[in-house]
Amino acid sequence: MSELLISQNERVLTLTLHRPEARNALNNALLESLANELEKAERDAGIGAVVITGSERFFAAGADLKEMASRDMPATLNDPRPQLWARIDRFPKPLLAAVNGYALGAGCELVMLCDIAVAGDNARFGLPEITLGIMPGAGGTQRLIRSVGKALAFRMVLTGEALSAERAQQAGLVADVYPAALTLEYAQKLAARIAQHAPLALQAAKTALRQAHEASLAQGLQQERQLFTLLAATEDRQEGISAFLEKRPAAFKGR
């Protein structure tokens, strides 16, 4: 049985985490499957955006603790897991998470790695690693504090307590909250809307937005302008402006 279900509707690829027996816990094999599919999607001009989702009750309940327990410090030091996360993080196209149920530990870290999170009203987000005598290790501390701010990030990480979908939206971790039965549908509609836009412009905008977390304002402004200038050389820029002036839909080609 496949641990990752794959479907595509027009320009939106949906990747569904499917380890029901383990509450979609993210082991290395599942992370590698995710990385492989995203790298295929990167090369596929027919895919404009990707949605990652789970089940109705669990997005992903965390890392696979059985796998983690088998690794001592030397094995953890040489674990391929950081490289798998880095491969997922390098995906240049818009990446959305459609979250129902629990997104805990590594599951919450995967949500934060995505560009936009859409949640069902039954979703819960947390980093409970501290209750196991460990701490987040796949970007949890760094991405959370950049998303929700110091006070809430410290509270979540040091207590292990989870946020409701409503609280996560208020804190800026989640963009939209819908009834759980509609979460994936709305996430796919949002992805389809995004995927209509010029691929090179989307990639450049994603790069510039992410840079805001990683550089000073001056550096971010400089890169934003460089990317803006590079887009001036694309056919899609000409098409977008012409379509607007001619009051017709644009036909972007990724060039």
Side-chain angles (χ1 to χ4, degrees):
M1 181 177 67
S2 174
E3 296 183 341
L4 186 66
L5 306 181
I6 303 163
S7 62
Q8 184 174 348
N9 184 17
E10 296 183 353
R11 292 180 53 76
V12 176
L13 178 72
T14 300
L15 302 176
T16 302
L17 309 175
H18 188 62
R19 296 189 71 210
E21 76 289 350
R23 301 187 298 176
N24 288 342
L26 298 171
N27 61 4
N28 283 7
L30 182 51
L31 286 175
E32 184 165 18
S33 295
L34 267 177
N36 288 340
E37 291 305 321
L38 289 174
E39 286 166 355
K40 290 179 187 175
E42 178 181 352
R43 298 188 296 268
D44 188 342
I47 294 173
V50 175
V51 176
I52 298 176
T53 193
S55 70
E56 293 180 4
R57 294 182 57 217
F58 296 99
F59 177 78
D64 191 313
L65 293 180
K66 292 181 180 178
E67 185 177 71
M68 185 183 298
S70 69
R71 292 190 167 92
D72 57 12
M73 183 176 143
T76 301
L77 187 64
N78 295 304
D79 192 344
R81 198 172 180 89
Q83 285 71 44
L84 295 174
W85 282 110
R87 288 171 60 193
I88 296 169
D89 192 35
R90 283 195 293 268
F91 183 62
K93 298 179 181 181
L95 184 61
L96 290 77
V99 184
N100 280 332
Y102 291 97
L104 303 177
C108 187
E109 289 173 314
L110 179 58
V111 172
M112 290 189 288
L113 186 149
C114 293
D115 304 314
I116 302 173
V118 174
D121 54 14
N122 69 338
R124 301 277 291 177
F125 301 86
L127 296 170
E129 287 89 342
I130 203 77
T131 66
L132 302 174
I134 54 176
M135 61 172 280
T141 61
Q142 302 306 298
R143 290 193 175 94
L144 185 68
I145 202 165
R146 286 167 166 81
S147 295
V148 306
K150 175 187 172 183
L152 187 55
F154 267 78
R155 178 182 175 86
M156 289 177 66
V157 172
L158 299 187
T159 66
E161 294 174 357
L163 297 182
S164 67
E166 181 182 7
R167 185 72 178 93
Q169 184 183 31
Q170 292 169 350
L173 192 61
V174 166
D176 301 295
V177 176
Y178 297 105
L182 302 176
T183 309
L184 179 57
E185 177 185 345
Y186 276 100
Q188 290 171 328
K189 285 182 177 179
L190 177 59
R193 180 179 175 186
I194 292 170
Q196 291 176 352
H197 299 309
L200 294 175
L202 287 171
Q203 184 174 338
K206 174 172 175 170
T207 298
L209 285 164
R210 294 181 64 168
Q211 185 73 9
H213 279 319
E214 300 163 8
S216 68
L217 176 59
Q219 290 170 322
L221 289 170
Q222 182 180 26
Q223 183 173 45
E224 180 190 76
R225 190 64 194 180
Q226 289 172 344
L227 291 165
F228 177 86
T229 303
L230 287 172
L231 289 174
T234 65
E235 293 179 20
D236 280 348
R237 175 186 182 266
Q238 291 298 111
E239 167 62 13
I241 293 173
S242 297
F244 178 82
L245 294 175
E246 296 166 13
K247 297 181 173 56
R248 61 173 176 80
F252 296 120
K253 298 178 180 178
R255 296 199 296 265

